[in-house]
């Protein structure tokens, strides 16, 4: 078999539960004109793959690896027919909650920062995979107390630890486009007036489009990794995505740094609009695993003549109609222009929010997306369960940017006063991205009210999973007008980033870290009811943990008292990794 059989993949994607099946797809790229590989799952040939993209150089295929849910969890094997290309993934038992890993920031903006790392680029990925699959551990692997707890329950039974890999944003970094595409490098050096006047011609648009589609293969499966059939795994992102079905949502670097947080004039200029359009298409194919021809255009609302350019408002998309012909379509929420989708999985529900499609300096979500989200929250299962697992006990809300994070009012004011609109300087847009920024406080208040309302109404707990900020952190959003014993009014925030991107390690970043820790000690009063408070990081005397990390979400089943959700950070240290645990108790009035 040729060494370059796969240009990218396999990348597993979780599509939901339907008709008693755990629905999983695998994305694989091949050189255009090459024979279409045949895959098998549990010894049976997979259906003919769907062509997601037929490019000049590369063809992207999607295979159906769906398999039956059984009473007990199990491991299934898939691979390439006639070749020694084999991978395994875990399927949970029917009505049981999946064990999930969460990561973000799988890349970097500045190569110089990576050279400061004491450990290899993929050291955190390697730790996650070794925790997931005991068969891939090196001979030198040593179990610590936390890992040992999982051995008898999982690995001694020849199971894998995680059923899902939640990827909360920045799965790929496209910031290099400003350097690699020469006309864009020249555009960066123009005056702002000339940048706004610049028009992207057909040749440049084609170059930009090719860059977005081709970089996925370069970053997700480097040339040296494409011979899957030889040697041991490299224990990197490619290995993780081939062994754990993913749930992905984009953030700014999946487009380019700071998308949505520039001035309205810059957001609407020709260069920005073309980059967004091409990034959207590539995201649709590679991360959401849908056919390019099925992607509806993003249309600005026309009926509102005087609509403000500050906050984009797009036509809603009836996703269930647009994708009616795809039985493995993701469950996108209807009546929204973005890509938000959600899953119900036993006692856990997962909401995956798109915080980029409609973003501006003063908007995170448009009105249609708010309505679609609230409509979906009303579908959460409440009341007494008819059988184990039929009631949702925990909602995990994936927000690429943290809802609970230190508020840097002084820095916000300085950057707002002097303003920045430069694509190579991310200081201003990083702050403007935050839910805690003054321009987004109204929406943050609305989000917290929505989440606590559904927790009370549906008798469940809500937790937020986030990344983006290159530290690990734990926060709490709560109603101070509700007694602490009513824990539904407490929404815990778990921040995990980055899995590859360095944490705050430079001198200037160390000073910024001190400012973050100092500011984090102050409770943020959102209004007379809602507060946001950063908590001391578990097992630490500080609020922000400056270390690369990943996060696990796992449920314990109590005796008649519901399920307890455990969040466990694994943080990189000089000598290995440290464990930091926090529990979310079952609902209590």
């Amino acid at each position: 078999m040729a060494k370059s059989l796969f240009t990218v993949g396999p990348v597993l994607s979780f599509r939901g539960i339907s008709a008693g099946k755990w629905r999983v797809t695998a994305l694989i790229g091949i050189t255009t004109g090459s024979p279409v590989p045949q895959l098998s799952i549990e010894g049976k040939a997979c259906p003919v793959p769907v062509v997601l993209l037929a490019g000049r150089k590369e063809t992207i295929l999607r295979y159906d690896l769906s398999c039956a849910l059984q009473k007990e969890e199990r491991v299934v094997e898939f691979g390439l027919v006639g070749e020694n290309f084999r991978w395994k993934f875990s399927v949970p038992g029917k009505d049981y909650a999946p064990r999930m890993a969460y990561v973000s920031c799988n890349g970097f903006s500045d190569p110089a920062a990576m050279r400061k790392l004491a450990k290899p680029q993929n050291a955190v990925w390697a730790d996650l995979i070794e925790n997931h699959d005991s068969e891939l551990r090196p001979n030198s692997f040593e179990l610590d107390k936390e890992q040992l707890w999982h051995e008898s329950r999982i690995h001694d039974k020849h199971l894998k630890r995680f059923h899902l890999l939640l990827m909360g944003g920045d799965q790929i970094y496209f910031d290099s486009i400003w350097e690699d595409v020469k006309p864009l490098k020249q555009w960066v050096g123009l005056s702002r007036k000339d940048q706004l006047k610049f028009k992207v011609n057909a040749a440049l648009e084609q170059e930009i489009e090719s860059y977005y589609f081709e970089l996925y293969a370069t970053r997700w499966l480097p040339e040296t990794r494409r011979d899957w059939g030889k040697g041991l795994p490299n224990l990197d992102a490619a290995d993780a995505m081939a062994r754990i079905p993913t749930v992905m949502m984009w953030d700014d670097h999946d487009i380019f740094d700071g998308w949505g947080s520039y001035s309205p004039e810059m957001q609407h200029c020709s260069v920005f609009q073309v980059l967004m359009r091409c990034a959207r298409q590539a995201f649709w194919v590679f991360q959401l695993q849908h056919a390019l021809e099925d992607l509806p255009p993003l249309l600005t609302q026309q009926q509102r003549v005087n609509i403000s350019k500050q906050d984009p408002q797009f036509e809603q998309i009836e996703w269930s109609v647009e994708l009616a012909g795809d039985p493995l379509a993701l469950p996108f929420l209807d009546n929204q222009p973005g890509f938000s989708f959600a899953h119900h999985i036993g006692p856990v529900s997962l909401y995956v929010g798109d915080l980029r499609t409609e973003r501006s300096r003063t908007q995170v979500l448009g009105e249609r997306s708010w309505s679609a989200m609230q409509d979906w929250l009303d579908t959460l299962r409440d009341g007494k369960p008819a059988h184990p697992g039929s009631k949702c006990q925990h909602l995990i809300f994936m927000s690429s940017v943290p809802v609970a994070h230190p508020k840097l009012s002084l820095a916000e004011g300085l950057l707002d006063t002097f303003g920045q609109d430069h694509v190579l300087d991310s200081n201003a847009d990083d702050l403007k991205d935050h839910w805690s920024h003054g321009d987004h406080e109204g929406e943050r208040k609305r989000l917290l009210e929505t989440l606590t309302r559904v927790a009370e109404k549906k008798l469940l707990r809500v937790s937020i999973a986030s990344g983006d900020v290159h530290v690990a952190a734990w926060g709490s959003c709560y109603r101070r007008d509700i007694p602490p014993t009513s824990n539904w009014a407490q929404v815990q925030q778990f921040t995990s980033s980055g899995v590859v991107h360095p944490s705050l390690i430079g001198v200037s970043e160390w000073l910024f870290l001190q400012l973050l820790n100092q500011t984090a000690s102050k409770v943020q009063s959102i209004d007379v009811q809602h507060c946001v408070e950063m908590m001391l990081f578990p097992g630490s005397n500080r609020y922000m943990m400056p270390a690369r990390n990943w996060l696990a979400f796992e449920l314990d089943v109590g005796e008649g008292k519901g399920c307890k959700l455990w969040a466990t950070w694994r943080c990189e240290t000089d000598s290995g990794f440290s464990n930091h645990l926090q529990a979310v108790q079952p609902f209590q009035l």
Side-chain angles (χ1 to χ4, degrees), residues 252-488:
D252 58 334
H253 291 282
D254 302 282
I255 308 167
F256 62 84
D257 187 18
W259 166 263
S261 294
Y262 294 90
S263 68
E265 294 79 15
M266 289 294 284
Q267 288 288 141
H268 287 84
C269 77
S270 177
V271 166
F272 274 37
Q273 288 296 304
V274 170
L275 264 64
M276 170 56 169
R277 183 163 60 251
C278 294
R280 182 173 180 261
Q281 293 173 340
F283 171 69
W284 175 255
V285 171
F286 284 92
Q287 298 197 39
L288 301 181
Q289 297 194 11
H290 278 280
L292 182 58
E293 63 185 20
D294 291 340
L295 176 62
L298 190 61
L299 302 175
T300 302
Q301 288 185 355
Q302 299 297 321
Q303 68 271 29
R304 298 184 178 179
V305 179
N306 297 321
I307 190 170
S308 169
K309 288 187 176 182
Q310 176 75 7
D311 298 329
Q313 300 293 330
F314 300 109
E315 295 287 354
Q316 67 185 33
I317 297 174
E318 295 291 335
W319 289 106
S320 61
V321 175
E322 295 284 349
L323 302 176
D326 184 355
L328 289 169
L330 284 172
F332 299 112
L333 275 58
D334 271 336
N335 305 319
Q336 53 142 354
F339 297 120
S340 296
F341 63 95
H343 294 294
H344 297 303
I345 318 169
V348 171
S349 290
L350 184 64
Y351 183 88
V352 187
D354 177 0
L355 308 187
R356 284 295 155 186
T357 294
E358 299 170 282
R359 180 177 283 273
S360 74
R361 281 189 170 180
T362 54
Q363 174 178 279
V364 179
L365 296 170
E367 58 173 323
R368 301 289 178 84
S369 293
W370 277 104
S371 297
M373 178 180 73
Q374 290 166 335
D375 288 345
W376 179 82
L377 290 172
D378 284 338
T379 70
L380 290 169
R381 296 152 296 178
D382 57 358
K384 294 182 179 180
H387 55 86
S390 68
K391 175 185 175 184
C392 175
Q393 299 185 42
H394 288 272
L395 167 64
I396 297 178
F397 187 94
M398 283 178 59
S399 170
S400 56
V401 179
V403 177
H405 197 66
K407 183 173 177 61
L408 303 175
S409 300
L410 178 59
E412 289 177 11
L414 289 173
L415 290 172
D416 287 345
T417 299
F418 296 104
Q420 294 188 35
D421 243 351
H422 200 286
V423 296
L424 300 184
D425 187 346
S426 64
N427 291 327
D429 61 71
D430 281 350
L431 284 178
K432 290 180 181 296
D433 269 355
H434 292 172
W435 282 97
S436 57
H437 190 280
D439 288 338
H440 298 313
E441 277 290 14
E443 278 193 88
R444 181 162 74 151
K445 182 187 301 185
R446 184 179 186 182
L447 177 65
L448 294 178
E449 193 282 330
T450 297
L451 295 180
T452 53
R453 175 187 58 81
V454 75
E456 181 183 24
K457 179 180 178 182
K458 299 294 184 176
L459 311 180
L460 54 82
R461 296 299 306 276
V462 178
S463 299
I464 302 173
S466 291
D468 180 66
V469 290
H470 307 151
V471 294
W474 170 37
S476 179
C477 312
Y478 57 90
R479 291 264 304 271
R480 55 184 162 194
D481 60 326
I482 303 296
T485 52
S486 298
N487 61 15
W488 58 265

